[in-house]
């Protein structure tokens, strides 16, 4: 379908929806800008889960990001930290076993988490209130969950690829991230108008026209090949951009 045909089609479809029906939560994702890279590329959430994750980081002192590798937990945490704090501290307890042993030993001695963080990074504890600390793969250092229960002045993003006992971190903001669904994939690749098409026809109980159906099937095949992991989708989008510029 041409651009003018798409515009006319959506306009006609929208006339059959109420005001509330016309507001899609998927469309809200694109409005949430975290920051720009040095090259000017905008950094935005790509899923509703990522948007919730970023919103929670903005509001809370301690946020738990849970989900499989590749869903954007660490990437978004670091981009947010770079954009909103003068400096951030980062530890990955899966890759840095020495750090895990250090934190465990010092916490067992009765030190607070902020004292241990300051000692590990060899800095004065009073400066931690100006920073944000990213503790990655905390499931590899279980004692950290209990240490986070203590009151401290640090802003902390705790990340885990494994599912944690939600009861053990009930006092914190808790967000689980997933790969992109098909609707989120459409939005990410710039075909979000199809989301409104699917939603509108579903609510109006009308079949999608064959030409639109064929286009959606082609996009769904692309989705199956690319998958829903944000890193893979980013790579796919970059390859499309490169091909269009050649």
């Amino acid at each position: 379908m041409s651009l003018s045909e798409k515009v006319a089609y959506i306009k006609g479809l929208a006339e059959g929806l109420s005001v509330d029906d016309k507001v899609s939560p998927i469309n809200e994702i694109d409005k949430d800008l975290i920051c720009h890279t040095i090259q000017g590329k905008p950094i935005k959430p790509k899923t509703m889960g990522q948007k919730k994750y970023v919103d929670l980081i903005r509001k809370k002192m301690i946020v738990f990001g849970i989900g499989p590798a590749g869903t954007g937990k660490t990437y978004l945490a670091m981009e947010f930290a770079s954009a909103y704090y003068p400096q951030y501290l980062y530890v990955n307890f899966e890759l840095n076993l020495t750090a895990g042993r250090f934190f465990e030993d010092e916490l067992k001695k009765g030190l607070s988490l902020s004292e241990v963080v300051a000692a590990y990074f060899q800095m004065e504890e009073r400066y931690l209130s100006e920073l944000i600390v990213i503790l990655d793969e905390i499931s590899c250092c279980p004692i950290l969950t209990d240490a986070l229960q203590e009151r401290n002045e640090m802003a902390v993003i705790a990340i885990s690829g494994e599912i944690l006992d939600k009861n053990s971190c009930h006092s914190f903001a808790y967000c689980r991230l997933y790969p992109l669904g098909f609707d989120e994939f459409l939005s990410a690749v710039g075909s979000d108008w199809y989301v409104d098409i699917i939603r509108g026809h579903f609510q109006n109980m009308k079949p999608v026209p064959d030409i639109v159906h064929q286009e959606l099937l082609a996009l769904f095949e692309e989705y199956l090949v690319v998958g829903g992991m944000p890193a893979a989708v980013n790579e796919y989008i970059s390859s499309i951009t490169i091909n269009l510029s050649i």
Side-chain angles (χ1 to χ4, degrees), residues 213-246:
H213 187 224
Q214 294 304 316
E215 292 174 352
L216 282 169
L217 284 176
L219 286 165
F220 187 66
E221 288 180 5
E222 290 181 14
Y223 170 66
L224 293 178
V225 172
V226 176
M229 290 301 185
V233 174
N234 281 337
E235 195 68 29
Y236 174 69
I237 294 172
S238 297
S239 68
I240 293 176
T241 303
I242 291 172
N243 289 333
L244 289 174
S245 63
I246 295 178

PDB file of all heavy atoms in Angstrom, residues 213-246:
ATOM      1  N   HIS A 213      -3.125  -8.060   5.150  1.00  0.00           N
ATOM      2  CA  HIS A 213      -2.825  -9.359   5.750  1.00  0.00           C
ATOM      3  C   HIS A 213      -1.515  -9.914   5.208  1.00  0.00           C
ATOM      4  O   HIS A 213      -0.684 -10.448   5.967  1.00  0.00           O
ATOM      5  CB  HIS A 213      -3.980 -10.325   5.476  1.00  0.00           C
ATOM      6  CG  HIS A 213      -3.849 -11.630   6.184  1.00  0.00           C
ATOM      7  ND1 HIS A 213      -4.098 -12.839   5.583  1.00  0.00           N
ATOM      8  CD2 HIS A 213      -3.465 -11.916   7.456  1.00  0.00           C
ATOM      9  CE1 HIS A 213      -3.888 -13.814   6.442  1.00  0.00           C
ATOM     10  NE2 HIS A 213      -3.498 -13.285   7.580  1.00  0.00           N
ATOM     11  N   GLN A 214      -1.309  -9.801   3.899  1.00  0.00           N
ATOM     12  CA  GLN A 214      -0.076 -10.297   3.281  1.00  0.00           C
ATOM     13  C   GLN A 214       1.142  -9.513   3.787  1.00  0.00           C
ATOM     14  O   GLN A 214       2.211 -10.087   4.031  1.00  0.00           O
ATOM     15  CB  GLN A 214      -0.176 -10.202   1.750  1.00  0.00           C
ATOM     16  CG  GLN A 214      -1.220 -11.115   1.125  1.00  0.00           C
ATOM     17  CD  GLN A 214      -1.005 -12.576   1.498  1.00  0.00           C
ATOM     18  OE1 GLN A 214       0.115 -13.081   1.479  1.00  0.00           O
ATOM     19  NE2 GLN A 214      -2.100 -13.259   1.857  1.00  0.00           N
ATOM     20  N   GLU A 215       0.975  -8.209   3.939  1.00  0.00           N
ATOM     21  CA  GLU A 215       2.075  -7.385   4.465  1.00  0.00           C
ATOM     22  C   GLU A 215       2.405  -7.785   5.907  1.00  0.00           C
ATOM     23  O   GLU A 215       3.576  -7.867   6.292  1.00  0.00           O
ATOM     24  CB  GLU A 215       1.703  -5.900   4.397  1.00  0.00           C
ATOM     25  CG  GLU A 215       1.614  -5.366   2.978  1.00  0.00           C
ATOM     26  CD  GLU A 215       1.113  -3.926   2.925  1.00  0.00           C
ATOM     27  OE1 GLU A 215       0.696  -3.408   3.989  1.00  0.00           O
ATOM     28  OE2 GLU A 215       1.126  -3.323   1.844  1.00  0.00           O
ATOM     29  N   LEU A 216       1.370  -8.049   6.690  1.00  0.00           N
ATOM     30  CA  LEU A 216       1.576  -8.449   8.074  1.00  0.00           C
ATOM     31  C   LEU A 216       2.251  -9.815   8.166  1.00  0.00           C
ATOM     32  O   LEU A 216       3.112 -10.036   9.025  1.00  0.00           O
ATOM     33  CB  LEU A 216       0.240  -8.481   8.822  1.00  0.00           C
ATOM     34  CG  LEU A 216      -0.317  -7.123   9.249  1.00  0.00           C
ATOM     35  CD1 LEU A 216      -1.759  -7.246   9.724  1.00  0.00           C
ATOM     36  CD2 LEU A 216       0.548  -6.517  10.355  1.00  0.00           C
ATOM     37  N   LEU A 217       1.873 -10.722   7.276  1.00  0.00           N
ATOM     38  CA  LEU A 217       2.512 -12.044   7.270  1.00  0.00           C
ATOM     39  C   LEU A 217       3.999 -11.923   6.949  1.00  0.00           C
ATOM     40  O   LEU A 217       4.836 -12.613   7.556  1.00  0.00           O
ATOM     41  CB  LEU A 217       1.829 -12.955   6.244  1.00  0.00           C
ATOM     42  CG  LEU A 217       0.464 -13.525   6.647  1.00  0.00           C
ATOM     43  CD1 LEU A 217      -0.123 -14.330   5.490  1.00  0.00           C
ATOM     44  CD2 LEU A 217       0.598 -14.412   7.886  1.00  0.00           C
ATOM     45  N   ALA A 218       4.340 -11.032   6.008  1.00  0.00           N
ATOM     46  CA  ALA A 218       5.751 -10.824   5.645  1.00  0.00           C
ATOM     47  C   ALA A 218       6.521 -10.254   6.835  1.00  0.00           C
ATOM     48  O   ALA A 218       7.651 -10.669   7.127  1.00  0.00           O
ATOM     49  CB  ALA A 218       5.849  -9.887   4.444  1.00  0.00           C
ATOM     50  N   LEU A 219       5.902  -9.301   7.534  1.00  0.00           N
ATOM     51  CA  LEU A 219       6.547  -8.715   8.716  1.00  0.00           C
ATOM     52  C   LEU A 219       6.676  -9.738   9.845  1.00  0.00           C
ATOM     53  O   LEU A 219       7.673  -9.754  10.575  1.00  0.00           O
ATOM     54  CB  LEU A 219       5.747  -7.499   9.201  1.00  0.00           C
ATOM     55  CG  LEU A 219       5.891  -6.243   8.341  1.00  0.00           C
ATOM     56  CD1 LEU A 219       4.795  -5.233   8.692  1.00  0.00           C
ATOM     57  CD2 LEU A 219       7.269  -5.618   8.535  1.00  0.00           C
ATOM     58  N   PHE A 220       5.673 -10.609   9.973  1.00  0.00           N
ATOM     59  CA  PHE A 220       5.720 -11.620  11.021  1.00  0.00           C
ATOM     60  C   PHE A 220       6.835 -12.628  10.745  1.00  0.00           C
ATOM     61  O   PHE A 220       7.510 -13.100  11.670  1.00  0.00           O
ATOM     62  CB  PHE A 220       4.376 -12.341  11.129  1.00  0.00           C
ATOM     63  CG  PHE A 220       4.300 -13.284  12.302  1.00  0.00           C
ATOM     64  CD1 PHE A 220       4.336 -12.799  13.600  1.00  0.00           C
ATOM     65  CD2 PHE A 220       4.204 -14.653  12.104  1.00  0.00           C
ATOM     66  CE1 PHE A 220       4.272 -13.659  14.687  1.00  0.00           C
ATOM     67  CE2 PHE A 220       4.145 -15.521  13.180  1.00  0.00           C
ATOM     68  CZ  PHE A 220       4.179 -15.029  14.480  1.00  0.00           C
ATOM     69  N   GLU A 221       7.043 -12.949   9.465  1.00  0.00           N
ATOM     70  CA  GLU A 221       8.155 -13.834   9.102  1.00  0.00           C
ATOM     71  C   GLU A 221       9.489 -13.188   9.467  1.00  0.00           C
ATOM     72  O   GLU A 221      10.407 -13.862   9.957  1.00  0.00           O
ATOM     73  CB  GLU A 221       8.100 -14.156   7.606  1.00  0.00           C
ATOM     74  CG  GLU A 221       6.959 -15.103   7.220  1.00  0.00           C
ATOM     75  CD  GLU A 221       6.932 -15.392   5.731  1.00  0.00           C
ATOM     76  OE1 GLU A 221       7.861 -14.932   5.022  1.00  0.00           O
ATOM     77  OE2 GLU A 221       5.987 -16.066   5.276  1.00  0.00           O
ATOM     78  N   GLU A 222       9.600 -11.873   9.233  1.00  0.00           N
ATOM     79  CA  GLU A 222      10.819 -11.160   9.625  1.00  0.00           C
ATOM     80  C   GLU A 222      11.006 -11.225  11.137  1.00  0.00           C
ATOM     81  O   GLU A 222      12.121 -11.434  11.631  1.00  0.00           O
ATOM     82  CB  GLU A 222      10.744  -9.699   9.173  1.00  0.00           C
ATOM     83  CG  GLU A 222      10.832  -9.505   7.670  1.00  0.00           C
ATOM     84  CD  GLU A 222      10.777  -8.041   7.281  1.00  0.00           C
ATOM     85  OE1 GLU A 222      10.947  -7.181   8.170  1.00  0.00           O
ATOM     86  OE2 GLU A 222      10.562  -7.750   6.088  1.00  0.00           O
ATOM     87  N   TYR A 223       9.918 -11.064  11.857  1.00  0.00           N
ATOM     88  CA  TYR A 223       9.961 -11.118  13.320  1.00  0.00           C
ATOM     89  C   TYR A 223      10.439 -12.485  13.799  1.00  0.00           C
ATOM     90  O   TYR A 223      11.251 -12.587  14.732  1.00  0.00           O
ATOM     91  CB  TYR A 223       8.576 -10.802  13.873  1.00  0.00           C
ATOM     92  CG  TYR A 223       8.415 -11.042  15.358  1.00  0.00           C
ATOM     93  CD1 TYR A 223       9.116 -10.286  16.303  1.00  0.00           C
ATOM     94  CD2 TYR A 223       7.539 -12.029  15.824  1.00  0.00           C
ATOM     95  CE1 TYR A 223       8.954 -10.507  17.665  1.00  0.00           C
ATOM     96  CE2 TYR A 223       7.373 -12.254  17.184  1.00  0.00           C
ATOM     97  CZ  TYR A 223       8.091 -11.490  18.101  1.00  0.00           C
ATOM     98  OH  TYR A 223       7.931 -11.718  19.441  1.00  0.00           O
ATOM     99  N   LEU A 224       9.951 -13.544  13.164  1.00  0.00           N
ATOM    100  CA  LEU A 224      10.357 -14.898  13.544  1.00  0.00           C
ATOM    101  C   LEU A 224      11.843 -15.133  13.290  1.00  0.00           C
ATOM    102  O   LEU A 224      12.517 -15.836  14.051  1.00  0.00           O
ATOM    103  CB  LEU A 224       9.521 -15.938  12.786  1.00  0.00           C
ATOM    104  CG  LEU A 224       8.027 -16.005  13.127  1.00  0.00           C
ATOM    105  CD1 LEU A 224       7.337 -17.043  12.271  1.00  0.00           C
ATOM    106  CD2 LEU A 224       7.825 -16.330  14.608  1.00  0.00           C
ATOM    107  N   VAL A 225      12.347 -14.542  12.217  1.00  0.00           N
ATOM    108  CA  VAL A 225      13.767 -14.708  11.878  1.00  0.00           C
ATOM    109  C   VAL A 225      14.649 -13.881  12.814  1.00  0.00           C
ATOM    110  O   VAL A 225      15.644 -14.370  13.363  1.00  0.00           O
ATOM    111  CB  VAL A 225      14.029 -14.295  10.418  1.00  0.00           C
ATOM    112  CG1 VAL A 225      15.528 -14.278  10.123  1.00  0.00           C
ATOM    113  CG2 VAL A 225      13.324 -15.253   9.458  1.00  0.00           C
ATOM    114  N   VAL A 226      14.281 -12.624  13.017  1.00  0.00           N
ATOM    115  CA  VAL A 226      15.082 -11.716  13.849  1.00  0.00           C
ATOM    116  C   VAL A 226      14.968 -12.081  15.322  1.00  0.00           C
ATOM    117  O   VAL A 226      15.951 -12.060  16.072  1.00  0.00           O
ATOM    118  CB  VAL A 226      14.638 -10.251  13.645  1.00  0.00           C
ATOM    119  CG1 VAL A 226      15.402  -9.316  14.581  1.00  0.00           C
ATOM    120  CG2 VAL A 226      14.857  -9.839  12.191  1.00  0.00           C
ATOM    121  N   GLY A 227      13.762 -12.439  15.754  1.00  0.00           N
ATOM    122  CA  GLY A 227      13.524 -12.704  17.166  1.00  0.00           C
ATOM    123  C   GLY A 227      13.182 -11.415  17.899  1.00  0.00           C
ATOM    124  O   GLY A 227      13.194 -10.330  17.324  1.00  0.00           O
ATOM    125  N   GLY A 228      12.908 -11.549  19.189  1.00  0.00           N
ATOM    126  CA  GLY A 228      12.479 -10.385  19.947  1.00  0.00           C
ATOM    127  C   GLY A 228      13.515  -9.775  20.860  1.00  0.00           C
ATOM    128  O   GLY A 228      13.214  -8.824  21.585  1.00  0.00           O
ATOM    129  N   MET A 229      14.745 -10.316  20.856  1.00  0.00           N
ATOM    130  CA  MET A 229      15.765  -9.743  21.727  1.00  0.00           C
ATOM    131  C   MET A 229      16.150  -8.347  21.244  1.00  0.00           C
ATOM    132  O   MET A 229      16.450  -8.156  20.062  1.00  0.00           O
ATOM    133  CB  MET A 229      16.999 -10.641  21.778  1.00  0.00           C
ATOM    134  CG  MET A 229      16.766 -11.944  22.516  1.00  0.00           C
ATOM    135  SD  MET A 229      16.243 -11.650  24.216  1.00  0.00           S
ATOM    136  CE  MET A 229      16.197 -13.324  24.845  1.00  0.00           C
ATOM    137  N   PRO A 230      16.132  -7.342  22.133  1.00  0.00           N
ATOM    138  CA  PRO A 230      16.403  -5.961  21.730  1.00  0.00           C
ATOM    139  C   PRO A 230      17.711  -5.777  20.958  1.00  0.00           C
ATOM    140  O   PRO A 230      17.755  -5.012  20.000  1.00  0.00           O
ATOM    141  CB  PRO A 230      16.446  -5.217  23.068  1.00  0.00           C
ATOM    142  CG  PRO A 230      15.525  -5.992  23.937  1.00  0.00           C
ATOM    143  CD  PRO A 230      15.747  -7.429  23.561  1.00  0.00           C
ATOM    144  N   ALA A 231      18.773  -6.481  21.364  1.00  0.00           N
ATOM    145  CA  ALA A 231      20.062  -6.333  20.667  1.00  0.00           C
ATOM    146  C   ALA A 231      19.949  -6.804  19.219  1.00  0.00           C
ATOM    147  O   ALA A 231      20.481  -6.172  18.299  1.00  0.00           O
ATOM    148  CB  ALA A 231      21.152  -7.117  21.400  1.00  0.00           C
ATOM    149  N   ALA A 232      19.236  -7.919  19.005  1.00  0.00           N
ATOM    150  CA  ALA A 232      19.052  -8.446  17.652  1.00  0.00           C
ATOM    151  C   ALA A 232      18.193  -7.500  16.816  1.00  0.00           C
ATOM    152  O   ALA A 232      18.462  -7.270  15.628  1.00  0.00           O
ATOM    153  CB  ALA A 232      18.411  -9.830  17.703  1.00  0.00           C
ATOM    154  N   VAL A 233      17.160  -6.937  17.441  1.00  0.00           N
ATOM    155  CA  VAL A 233      16.289  -5.995  16.731  1.00  0.00           C
ATOM    156  C   VAL A 233      17.064  -4.729  16.358  1.00  0.00           C
ATOM    157  O   VAL A 233      16.913  -4.189  15.264  1.00  0.00           O
ATOM    158  CB  VAL A 233      15.051  -5.648  17.593  1.00  0.00           C
ATOM    159  CG1 VAL A 233      14.217  -4.561  16.913  1.00  0.00           C
ATOM    160  CG2 VAL A 233      14.208  -6.882  17.833  1.00  0.00           C
ATOM    161  N   ASN A 234      17.900  -4.244  17.286  1.00  0.00           N
ATOM    162  CA  ASN A 234      18.737  -3.066  16.990  1.00  0.00           C
ATOM    163  C   ASN A 234      19.650  -3.332  15.798  1.00  0.00           C
ATOM    164  O   ASN A 234      19.828  -2.468  14.927  1.00  0.00           O
ATOM    165  CB  ASN A 234      19.579  -2.705  18.213  1.00  0.00           C
ATOM    166  CG  ASN A 234      18.793  -1.946  19.260  1.00  0.00           C
ATOM    167  OD1 ASN A 234      17.783  -1.326  18.950  1.00  0.00           O
ATOM    168  ND2 ASN A 234      19.236  -1.999  20.500  1.00  0.00           N
ATOM    169  N   GLU A 235      20.238  -4.525  15.765  1.00  0.00           N
ATOM    170  CA  GLU A 235      21.126  -4.888  14.656  1.00  0.00           C
ATOM    171  C   GLU A 235      20.346  -4.936  13.347  1.00  0.00           C
ATOM    172  O   GLU A 235      20.821  -4.493  12.305  1.00  0.00           O
ATOM    173  CB  GLU A 235      21.763  -6.254  14.950  1.00  0.00           C
ATOM    174  CG  GLU A 235      22.966  -6.589  14.082  1.00  0.00           C
ATOM    175  CD  GLU A 235      24.171  -5.715  14.371  1.00  0.00           C
ATOM    176  OE1 GLU A 235      24.318  -5.244  15.510  1.00  0.00           O
ATOM    177  OE2 GLU A 235      24.966  -5.496  13.424  1.00  0.00           O
ATOM    178  N   TYR A 236      19.150  -5.474  13.414  1.00  0.00           N
ATOM    179  CA  TYR A 236      18.289  -5.568  12.231  1.00  0.00           C
ATOM    180  C   TYR A 236      17.926  -4.176  11.716  1.00  0.00           C
ATOM    181  O   TYR A 236      17.994  -3.903  10.513  1.00  0.00           O
ATOM    182  CB  TYR A 236      17.032  -6.352  12.591  1.00  0.00           C
ATOM    183  CG  TYR A 236      15.992  -6.399  11.500  1.00  0.00           C
ATOM    184  CD1 TYR A 236      16.217  -7.119  10.331  1.00  0.00           C
ATOM    185  CD2 TYR A 236      14.774  -5.735  11.638  1.00  0.00           C
ATOM    186  CE1 TYR A 236      15.258  -7.163   9.324  1.00  0.00           C
ATOM    187  CE2 TYR A 236      13.816  -5.777  10.646  1.00  0.00           C
ATOM    188  CZ  TYR A 236      14.067  -6.498   9.490  1.00  0.00           C
ATOM    189  OH  TYR A 236      13.114  -6.531   8.493  1.00  0.00           O
ATOM    190  N   ILE A 237      17.555  -3.280  12.643  1.00  0.00           N
ATOM    191  CA  ILE A 237      17.208  -1.906  12.256  1.00  0.00           C
ATOM    192  C   ILE A 237      18.412  -1.208  11.628  1.00  0.00           C
ATOM    193  O   ILE A 237      18.281  -0.490  10.628  1.00  0.00           O
ATOM    194  CB  ILE A 237      16.694  -1.118  13.476  1.00  0.00           C
ATOM    195  CG1 ILE A 237      15.373  -1.706  13.962  1.00  0.00           C
ATOM    196  CG2 ILE A 237      16.526   0.357  13.139  1.00  0.00           C
ATOM    197  CD1 ILE A 237      14.893  -1.125  15.279  1.00  0.00           C
ATOM    198  N   SER A 238      19.598  -1.426  12.201  1.00  0.00           N
ATOM    199  CA  SER A 238      20.820  -0.819  11.658  1.00  0.00           C
ATOM    200  C   SER A 238      21.093  -1.314  10.253  1.00  0.00           C
ATOM    201  O   SER A 238      21.503  -0.546   9.383  1.00  0.00           O
ATOM    202  CB  SER A 238      22.019  -1.138  12.563  1.00  0.00           C
ATOM    203  OG  SER A 238      21.843  -0.581  13.842  1.00  0.00           O
ATOM    204  N   SER A 239      20.867  -2.602  10.006  1.00  0.00           N
ATOM    205  CA  SER A 239      21.113  -3.165   8.671  1.00  0.00           C
ATOM    206  C   SER A 239      20.144  -2.591   7.654  1.00  0.00           C
ATOM    207  O   SER A 239      20.507  -2.338   6.508  1.00  0.00           O
ATOM    208  CB  SER A 239      20.989  -4.694   8.705  1.00  0.00           C
ATOM    209  OG  SER A 239      19.649  -5.099   8.939  1.00  0.00           O
ATOM    210  N   ILE A 240      18.896  -2.346   8.072  1.00  0.00           N
ATOM    211  CA  ILE A 240      17.910  -1.724   7.173  1.00  0.00           C
ATOM    212  C   ILE A 240      18.347  -0.303   6.825  1.00  0.00           C
ATOM    213  O   ILE A 240      18.300   0.109   5.664  1.00  0.00           O
ATOM    214  CB  ILE A 240      16.514  -1.690   7.833  1.00  0.00           C
ATOM    215  CG1 ILE A 240      15.974  -3.104   8.000  1.00  0.00           C
ATOM    216  CG2 ILE A 240      15.554  -0.844   6.996  1.00  0.00           C
ATOM    217  CD1 ILE A 240      14.648  -3.148   8.731  1.00  0.00           C
ATOM    218  N   THR A 241      18.803   0.439   7.841  1.00  0.00           N
ATOM    219  CA  THR A 241      19.246   1.825   7.640  1.00  0.00           C
ATOM    220  C   THR A 241      20.425   1.886   6.687  1.00  0.00           C
ATOM    221  O   THR A 241      20.497   2.732   5.791  1.00  0.00           O
ATOM    222  CB  THR A 241      19.641   2.465   8.982  1.00  0.00           C
ATOM    223  OG1 THR A 241      18.525   2.384   9.884  1.00  0.00           O
ATOM    224  CG2 THR A 241      20.028   3.925   8.784  1.00  0.00           C
ATOM    225  N   ILE A 242      21.368   0.953   6.848  1.00  0.00           N
ATOM    226  CA  ILE A 242      22.565   0.920   5.984  1.00  0.00           C
ATOM    227  C   ILE A 242      22.165   0.622   4.557  1.00  0.00           C
ATOM    228  O   ILE A 242      22.620   1.255   3.596  1.00  0.00           O
ATOM    229  CB  ILE A 242      23.557  -0.138   6.496  1.00  0.00           C
ATOM    230  CG1 ILE A 242      24.165   0.307   7.828  1.00  0.00           C
ATOM    231  CG2 ILE A 242      24.675  -0.357   5.478  1.00  0.00           C
ATOM    232  CD1 ILE A 242      25.005  -0.747   8.501  1.00  0.00           C
ATOM    233  N   ASN A 243      21.251  -0.366   4.373  1.00  0.00           N
ATOM    234  CA  ASN A 243      20.830  -0.736   3.032  1.00  0.00           C
ATOM    235  C   ASN A 243      20.091   0.403   2.336  1.00  0.00           C
ATOM    236  O   ASN A 243      20.224   0.604   1.121  1.00  0.00           O
ATOM    237  CB  ASN A 243      19.912  -1.977   3.103  1.00  0.00           C
ATOM    238  CG  ASN A 243      20.687  -3.228   3.476  1.00  0.00           C
ATOM    239  OD1 ASN A 243      21.887  -3.333   3.214  1.00  0.00           O
ATOM    240  ND2 ASN A 243      20.017  -4.200   4.077  1.00  0.00           N
ATOM    241  N   LEU A 244      19.307   1.149   3.108  1.00  0.00           N
ATOM    242  CA  LEU A 244      18.561   2.260   2.517  1.00  0.00           C
ATOM    243  C   LEU A 244      19.467   3.405   2.099  1.00  0.00           C
ATOM    244  O   LEU A 244      19.165   4.183   1.185  1.00  0.00           O
ATOM    245  CB  LEU A 244      17.516   2.787   3.506  1.00  0.00           C
ATOM    246  CG  LEU A 244      16.298   1.868   3.774  1.00  0.00           C
ATOM    247  CD1 LEU A 244      15.433   2.447   4.887  1.00  0.00           C
ATOM    248  CD2 LEU A 244      15.490   1.672   2.500  1.00  0.00           C
ATOM    249  N   SER A 245      20.606   3.532   2.793  1.00  0.00           N
ATOM    250  CA  SER A 245      21.525   4.636   2.510  1.00  0.00           C
ATOM    251  C   SER A 245      22.468   4.332   1.356  1.00  0.00           C
ATOM    252  O   SER A 245      23.164   5.200   0.854  1.00  0.00           O
ATOM    253  CB  SER A 245      22.333   4.977   3.766  1.00  0.00           C
ATOM    254  OG  SER A 245      23.131   3.884   4.161  1.00  0.00           O
ATOM    255  N   ILE A 246      22.539   3.055   0.982  1.00  0.00           N
ATOM    256  CA  ILE A 246      23.455   2.690  -0.127  1.00  0.00           C
ATOM    257  C   ILE A 246      22.838   3.059  -1.477  1.00  0.00           C
ATOM    258  O   ILE A 246      21.678   2.828  -1.711  1.00  0.00           O
ATOM    259  CB  ILE A 246      23.734   1.168  -0.089  1.00  0.00           C
ATOM    260  CG1 ILE A 246      24.487   0.803   1.183  1.00  0.00           C
ATOM    261  CG2 ILE A 246      24.534   0.728  -1.315  1.00  0.00           C
ATOM    262  CD1 ILE A 246      24.762  -0.682   1.349  1.00  0.00           C
TER     263      ILE A 246
END
